[in-house]
Amino acid sequence: MLLYHAVMADPPAWIAEFTVTPGQFAAQLDAVVAAGRTPVTVGALADHFAGRAVLPARPVVLTFDDGFADLPGPTADALAARGLCATAYLTTGALAPGGRSLLPPAPMMTLDRAPALERYGIEIGGHTVSHPQLDTLAPRALRRELADSKAALEDVLGHRVAHLAYPHGYNSAAVRRAARAAGYETAVAVRHALSSRSDDAYRIARLIVRRGHTAADVEAWMAGTGARTAPYRDSAATVGWRLYRRARAAVRGPVFAG
């Protein structure tokens, strides 16, 4: 499962590390197609985890976080030209007029373009309202981020939204329980790892695509190499970093996840 953010030639500095150029993106999509993988949405994974359907032999999931301005235009066109579906996780507060968001300024799509993404074959999921570090929030604030984002998307789409992406992958057992309680069927993290058929439905691993990654990196991932495979336990460093961030948030308040 690949995680993209923006596809643009001149991104703002804060998102540049997680941005690929249109040329890079085209070459990476061509590598996915050449690998013979079958593109599926996260919804198909949900059906697999719930025992409702069987995945194809060699699936691949392409995901996009936040909702940058390129998504409902050239990025969706590039996917459609190759017959590739995807799942996009939208940060509602950054896309709605007058919305509240911790995301720094950047060219973003508007929330009313979400139905157009679905017409391209792009599934829509939630990515919270303001993009905080969810594992540092108090229970009430956590529930609000998950529920309000879901409601805003369902209002504009006119149907249930069942999938969630944790901002920057930050999650914990409490966050995963809250995601389930909010009505999400799946939730994706980051983990910098290959997912598997036995992955945790509320902590599905994704490989984050950075500006330095090439088509050769994608080819390796499509071959099942170049990264470890989930599920696996959090490292001591991950647990320690979470404790530090919680202590910092208790003093400073909610912090941008990025």
Side-chain angles (χ1 to χ4, degrees):
M1 182 183 292
L2 302 186
L3 162 56
Y4 285 96
H5 288 84
V7 180
M8 60 179 74
D10 188 23
W14 70 270
I15 196 62
E17 177 62 24
F18 304 111
T19 299
V20 296
T21 67
Q24 286 177 295
F25 186 58
Q28 290 167 5
L29 293 186
D30 289 342
V32 170
V33 173
R37 290 274 180 173
T38 301
V40 299
T41 63
V42 171
L45 287 187
D47 290 338
H48 160 72
F49 289 131
R52 296 188 296 260
V54 177
L55 286 172
R58 303 183 72 242
V60 62
V61 185
L62 305 177
T63 68
F64 296 81
D65 279 9
D66 299 327
F68 290 91
D70 61 274
L71 184 57
T75 295
D77 287 335
L79 292 166
R82 295 163 176 82
L84 296 171
C85 59
T87 299
Y89 296 100
L90 304 182
T91 306
T92 56
L95 310 186
R100 58 181 180 86
S101 172
L102 296 169
L103 286 174
M108 307 299 289
M109 63 177 278
T110 54
L111 193 57
D112 60 4
R113 298 296 305 280
L117 290 177
E118 291 192 323
R119 291 192 288 273
Y120 273 102
I122 298 176
E123 177 183 58
I124 304 299
H127 198 39
T128 73
V129 175
S130 67
H131 208 279
Q133 298 180 11
L134 290 178
D135 58 346
T136 69
L137 298 184
R140 183 176 179 181
L142 172 59
R143 290 192 298 269
R144 186 167 58 246
E145 285 283 347
L146 298 178
D148 289 0
S149 170
K150 191 173 190 293
L153 291 171
E154 290 176 344
D155 183 60
V156 74
L157 294 171
H159 61 74
R160 180 185 177 223
V161 169
H163 310 297
L164 170 71
Y166 306 119
H168 209 66
Y170 290 139
N171 70 96
S172 64
V175 171
R176 295 192 291 274
R177 288 193 298 270
R180 185 190 295 271
Y184 293 101
E185 277 194 72
T186 70
V188 293
V190 178
R191 313 212 81 189
H192 307 294
L194 297 163
S195 186
S196 71
R197 293 172 188 268
S198 60
D199 211 347
D200 183 338
Y202 286 89
R203 190 164 53 163
I204 303 170
R206 293 189 291 174
L207 286 158
I208 190 166
V209 182
R210 299 173 182 266
R211 63 180 171 182
H213 285 132
T214 66
D217 293 310
V218 174
E219 289 172 1
W221 296 334
M222 294 301 101
T225 63
R228 68 188 302 184
T229 300
Y232 53 86
R233 291 184 177 182
D234 288 340
S235 67
T238 296
V239 174
W241 176 233
R242 182 181 300 132
L243 293 173
Y244 166 77
R245 290 185 294 100
R246 284 177 176 168
R248 182 179 62 184
V251 175
R252 301 181 183 177
V255 177
F256 164 60

